[in-house]
Amino acid sequence: MAGIAVIGAGMGAMAAAARLAVAGHRVAVFERGATYGGALGHFERDGFAFDTGPGLLHLPAVYRDLFIKTGREPLERCVELTQVDPASRHVFADGTTATLPNASRAGVLTALDEALGTGSGERWSALLGRAREAWDATRRPLLEEPLWADWRVLGRDPYPAVRRRGLFGLGRGKGPTTATLAEVARRELADPRLIALLESHALAYGFDPRTAPASAAVLPYMEQTFGSWYVGGGMRALADALYERCRARRVEFTFGAEVTGILEKDGRAAGVELADGRVADAEFVVAGLDPVRLPELCAGREPWNDGDVRPAPGPGDRAPARLTVCLALRGARPADAVHRTVVHAADRTAELAGVFGDGHDLRAPCARPTVTVLRPDDPATRPDDSHEAVTLTATVAPHGPVDWLDPEALEQDADRLVESAEAAVPGLRGRVLWREVVPPTDGGPVPGPALAGQDGRFLRPGNRTRIPGLYTVGGWSHPGGGLAHAGMSGAIVAGLIVNGDDWHGSE
């Protein structure tokens, strides 16, 4: 029974801790903050409650598997998990709206035809059909297995080439394309509203559609196929349930414990050193943090082999963050309100330039950014039925052009979100009792999930390091960010420790 030290109490780290504890290991988690859950933040005031991190769960099978493998109580006995239907409502720049059902390809096709015109649904469905091919080709190596040693194979985009019309059309290609998601959107969707629909999924995960590989089309495919799910009481309840599962499996947690060094003995990880001088010996160390920090914790030793996936974004890549506005509203939530509405930017070109840059530098923030409006029909989020809790989020640049430490600038940008959200909640500003603005600096940059293509630029560092006994877990490691991906990261790390570094994943 090995002793294992886990750095951080994010969802990926806790997923690994629970699985390792069930396998018979002694697991101790050291978290420098005051609580667990990582990105699954929560804010409460005056009887209102808000998620300040992910608002919905996709791929719930990841957490169902985790809870089944770590105890007798399945996930649904630990949290109230319900499908959100409709999955989303979209308000486009021209005022057109489309309401999309949950986990229904035929239903989405019909809804798009009715909202955007005949043929719209078929074009969208055809694109997601090709996205399914990319999903099938990369699901195991990107989500279920340790990162391949020959990771460059995943640098080729699995999104299939498409037959082009005209004299020089080459037909449907057998090899992968090198197109970006934006290029695929223009070529295959044409309608600017469908393009906005596709690109909004990339933006929500922190990707610039102008540089993201075509394989990013798996993001809407994943959501449309496996559905969108909400946890009663707010998504933070999922973190609570996982923490309690860890505690039930005798995982030890120490909060306010900053790890300042990873100890080595005889060439392998041997424990951690804390800021207060304490030392915790361990036979394995699992680091749930940005791998860029690992060299400083390893006394300057580079934990990555030559040729490994670089642990930091490449030149020109920007990891965006999220601006969140929590709104306490007077007045009941209408019966026909939709859980999630996406209000699309009036000028997507300006928005992308403000978040990612225009090829030279960041431009001013978009006057009307894409805003996601969450209105859960959940009594636990409001003091009574004559009030409503609404959360607004937008993807923003973490550093410039807005100084997020400037209270006035922060409030001005929050005003932009509220103004845009009026399209989803008519009369919104007149209903606001108070609001709480959560700046991007609170959560920091948001890592996106790993994607194949673009020569591996959208992959994350593998969970193994060249220091025996040291592993990385969480959104900055394989298979990347996102709530479901964090759970998969924990499963991969636990599999490597339990079965050895030659383990290739579940069969």
Side-chain angles (χ1 to χ4, degrees), residues 66 119 337 365 399 405 423 438:
L66 171 60
H399 304 295
L405 298 179
V438 183

Side-chain angles (χ1 to χ4, degrees), residues 227-238:
S228 300
W229 300 74
Y230 175 73
V231 177
M235 295 301 296
R236 176 69 185 184
L238 182 61

Side-chain angles (χ1 to χ4, degrees), residues 284-311:
F284 297 92
V285 175
V286 177
L289 44 75
D290 187 342
V292 171
R293 292 185 53 206
L294 279 186
E296 68 180 73
L297 297 183
C298 296
R301 181 180 175 188
E302 176 55 59
W304 307 105
N305 292 313
D306 293 340
D308 278 342
V309 181
R310 54 183 174 269

Side-chain angles (χ1 to χ4, degrees), residues 422-440:
E422 286 268 8
V425 187
L428 174 62
R429 282 173 285 188
R431 294 178 57 194
V432 176
L433 290 169
W434 52 261
R435 77 184 188 188
E436 180 74 16
V437 182
V438 183

